[in-house]
Amino acid sequence: MSDRPETRLEALGITLPKAAAPVANYVACAQTGSTLIVSGQLPLVDGKLLTTGKLGGGVDAETGTACARACLINVLAQVQAHLGDLSRVRRVVRLGGFIACTPEFTAHAGVMNGASDLAVEVFGDLGRHARSTIGVPSLPLDAPVEVEAIFEIA
């Protein structure tokens, strides 16, 4: 199999959507030198949230993991729109995950693996990254997960 991220996405059956426009006073991507920072992305599929609600309060961990994966697909769509070619990614440096959850929910790491695992599937060893996963009381549009990212680019 080719090492090109686009080829790996195709093999996974993933077509990147059109990058979502920012909904407030921020930019989707900010680049400084060889660092690309992507603003938090929600689990939008065909323009609609995959689901709404909180982990531990109606959204199960499996659905949360699928949401984290969808968030990373949207992160990659932003990178593609900004760079024009995912092969310019030299490394996934960091992912930040926000999990809307009840106070009792503690399986944040497993949910965030939906994004982390996909980063490695798409970029191989270059997709291995540092990460933070934080439980929060709410997210925009009642989304259960939001993922942000930092990349080193060529």
Side-chain angles (χ1 to χ4, degrees):
M1 175 176 11
S2 168
D3 283 338
R4 288 186 45 79
E6 290 86 354
T7 304
R8 290 180 179 193
L9 282 168
E10 186 177 325
L12 292 167
I14 297 171
T15 301
L16 295 180
K18 180 180 180 201
V23 296
N25 188 16
Y26 64 92
V27 294
C29 295
Q31 182 179 341
T32 181
S34 63
T35 301
L36 180 66
I37 301 165
V38 181
S39 294
Q41 300 295 304
L42 301 178
L44 296 169
V45 176
D46 297 326
K48 296 182 182 177
L49 286 173
L50 192 59
T51 191
T52 58
K54 293 180 179 24
L55 278 289
V59 177
D60 62 35
E62 184 177 331
T63 302
T65 302
C67 286
R69 184 177 177 92
C71 289
L72 191 72
I73 289 169
N74 292 324
V75 164
L76 296 177
Q78 295 293 350
V79 174
Q80 176 77 32
H82 184 81
L83 298 177
D85 183 358
L86 292 177
S87 292
R88 290 188 54 201
V89 171
R90 293 290 172 243
R91 178 149 193 222
V92 180
V93 177
R94 180 185 178 278
L95 295 181
F98 303 93
I99 313 298
C101 59
T102 63
E104 300 79 22
F105 184 80
T106 60
H108 306 76
V111 168
M112 188 57 185
N113 280 344
S116 292
D117 291 349
L118 182 58
V120 174
E121 289 178 276
V122 172
F123 296 104
D125 282 340
L126 301 177
R128 298 193 185 285
H129 52 272
R131 178 176 98 175
S132 295
T133 304
I134 302 165
V136 297
S138 67
L139 288 167
L141 305 177
D142 197 25
V145 180
E146 181 173 349
V147 174
E148 63 184 12
I150 299 173
F151 296 86
E152 179 186 353
I153 60 171

